Amino acid sequence: MFMHMTFTVAVAGASGYAGGEILRVLLGHPEAKIGALTAHSNAGTLLGAHQPHLRSLADRVLAPTSVDELTGHDVVVLALPHGASGEVAAALAERGDQAIVLDLGADHRLTDAVAWQDYYGSAHAGTWPYGLPELLHAGEQTAAQQRAELASARRIAVPGCNVTAVTLGLQPGVAAGLIEPTDVVAVLANGYSGAGKSLKAHLLASEALGSAQPYAVGGSHRHIPEIRQNLTVAGAPDVTISFTPTLVPMSRGILATATARLVPGTDPAAVRQAWEAAYADEPFVHLLPEGEWPSTAATLGANTALVQVAVDERAGRVVTVTAIDNLVKGTAGGAVQSLNIALGLPETTGLALNGVAP
Ligand SMILES: NC(=O)c1ccc[n+]([C@@H]2O[C@H](COP(=O)([O-])OP(=O)(O)OC[C@H]3O[C@@H](n4cnc5c(N)ncnc54)[C@H](OP(=O)(O)O)[C@@H]3O)[C@@H](O)[C@H]2O)c1
């Protein structure tokens, strides 16, 4: 039977996009009580100056990000640039703080220290339980093992937003052995908020509006080893992926088109069955009716991932398209979903199934 379980939560990086979004989600969570809010260059200013949409917290002063400020809560959210969260997490552990810690950054996602070093160029901070409840493990038709791992987690590494979209698109085919994971191509349309709030010339309206621009082309994007890791968990012996994100003029949203070669001789009907089986009981990952394609607009503000799959028989490929809101299912909503599991709350508590439109 569900018991009330009010928890206090501190958010480090509250002035940023991810920090602001997890505050928005937590303000709608019946059990969350907002504690310390911290920032870096904006410490000492009001939250309302950075998150004017969060009216109920507008008068809260941002403290500097320090263990002293963050300690003593039930939950600590680290919405910090990679590198910074590893340091703060280590300091909290050294202090013996008992909080459940959610890292929205990349520091604790990868299990392979060599891959970390290769893509991030710094020392590996370690590996935490991975906060994608829907992640299929090899041999699973529906996701149970990842949820079991999260049920006892005190540290949660929240996935990268692009990684969530590509993983959810492809994993049913990997787990069912229907696609060749050594031949995966993913091209994504990405809203600007995925790049964070700090000023960058190519994100100025004069540069970006009316234009689409690829970035991290040619295999350098830091989400590549994380996608490979997830598809390996789903049962792929080896993963080769070509991954190209493209900035498009929208604030939020990711539309990920991920394709892979169909294992020769596979009955195309088996493809739809695998995706249906994987997601039939998922509260937030929805396989759309055949022929209906996901759009980012249909996910805005919601913790949903909308997925479609088709077989291109002429090309011999499975084509998947997944839409998410990068800040909700791609970050803050996914984090709260995993937190609910860790706290023993119903997984959907405080999370929106319905978005905002138009
Ligand atoms: N944006 C997304 O869609 C998204 C999706 C998934 C994951 N994430 C991850 O979430 C984390 C935050 O991303 P974001 O998009 O929210 O970035 P952001 O908008 O640039 O916000 C960064 C936050 O971190 C603080 N900060 C900056 N440098 C710091 C330092 N050296 N030490 C401590 N705090 C520092 C900033 O404080 P000041 O404002 O005071 O400088 C701000 O609160 C990143 O690791 C990112 O990869 C983001």
Side-chain angles (χ1 to χ4, degrees):
M1 194 183 67
F2 171 59
M3 310 273 283
H4 279 290
M5 189 188 285
T6 302
F7 59 91
T8 58
V9 52
V11 176
S15 52
Y17 283 151
E21 188 67 0
I22 201 154
L23 284 170
R24 186 182 74 83
V25 174
L26 288 168
L27 286 166
H29 193 294
E31 306 298 334
K33 195 166 177 295
I34 308 297
L37 304 179
T38 77
H40 186 60
S41 58
N42 287 304
T45 64
L46 294 179
L47 184 78
H50 310 286
Q51 313 288 8
H53 59 302
L54 302 178
R55 299 311 307 160
S56 59
L57 297 174
D59 295 334
R60 294 283 295 271
V61 178
L62 294 167
T65 297
S66 71
V67 177
D68 283 345
E69 294 292 342
L70 298 174
T71 204
H73 296 81
D74 299 314
V75 177
V76 174
V77 176
L78 303 176
L80 307 174
H82 71 83
S85 57
E87 268 179 42
V88 176
L92 279 168
E94 207 169 298
R95 178 72 68 91
D97 191 68
Q98 294 300 306
I100 293 178
V101 183
L102 305 178
D103 186 359
L104 306 191
D107 291 32
H108 304 96
R109 293 175 192 156
L110 296 185
T111 52
D112 181 349
V114 175
W116 173 272
Q117 175 72 36
D118 194 17
Y119 280 85
Y120 291 85
S122 56
H124 186 221
T127 309
W128 289 358
Y130 191 70
L132 185 62
E134 300 91 349
L135 182 64
L136 290 172
H137 286 240
E140 282 187 329
Q141 212 179 27
T142 56
Q145 196 172 328
Q146 197 61 30
R147 289 186 161 90
E149 286 179 21
L150 288 167
S152 57
R154 306 292 301 170
R155 299 279 184 273
I156 296 170
V158 178
C161 48
N162 298 307
V163 180
T164 293
V166 173
T167 302
L168 293 175
L170 288 173
Q171 64 168 3
V174 173
L178 302 177
I179 59 176
E180 291 182 353
T182 51
D183 181 1
V184 175
V185 178
V187 179
L188 292 78
N190 301 72
Y192 303 135
S193 62
K197 210 172 183 178
S198 58
L199 297 176
K200 298 177 187 91
H202 72 290
L203 298 180
L204 291 170
S206 51
E207 309 282 336
L209 287 181
S211 179
Q213 35 181 335
Y215 64 101
V217 182
S220 61
H221 198 286
R222 287 169 165 157
H223 286 168
I224 290 171
E226 199 184 327
I227 297 170
R228 295 184 70 232
Q229 176 174 302
N230 288 352
L231 297 184
T232 304
V233 170
D238 194 16
V239 181
T240 306
I241 177 166
S242 163
F243 174 89
T244 311
T246 309
L247 287 169
V248 297
M250 58 189 185
S251 293
R252 290 172 182 244
I254 295 175
L255 190 77
T257 303
T259 83
R261 184 169 293 280
L262 187 67
V263 171
T266 303
D267 175 3
V271 169
R272 185 141 193 108
Q273 282 163 13
W275 266 256
E276 276 173 357
Y279 296 140
D281 295 328
E282 286 298 344
F284 297 116
V285 183
H286 294 180
L287 180 68
L288 295 182
E290 245 170 308
E292 205 176 294
W293 290 90
S295 69
T296 57
T299 66
L300 296 188
N303 194 46
T304 46
L306 304 182
V307 180
Q308 185 53 286
V309 62
V311 177
D312 181 342
E313 291 192 58
R314 290 188 186 88
R317 298 186 76 81
V318 171
V319 179
T320 70
V321 177
T322 305
I324 60 170
D325 182 328
N326 56 298
L327 287 169
V328 191
K329 184 59 180 158
T331 313
V336 171
Q337 189 182 343
S338 296
L339 175 65
N340 285 336
I341 295 172
L343 288 169
L345 293 169
E347 187 174 323
T348 56
T349 309
L351 292 167
L353 188 59
N354 302 311
V356 294

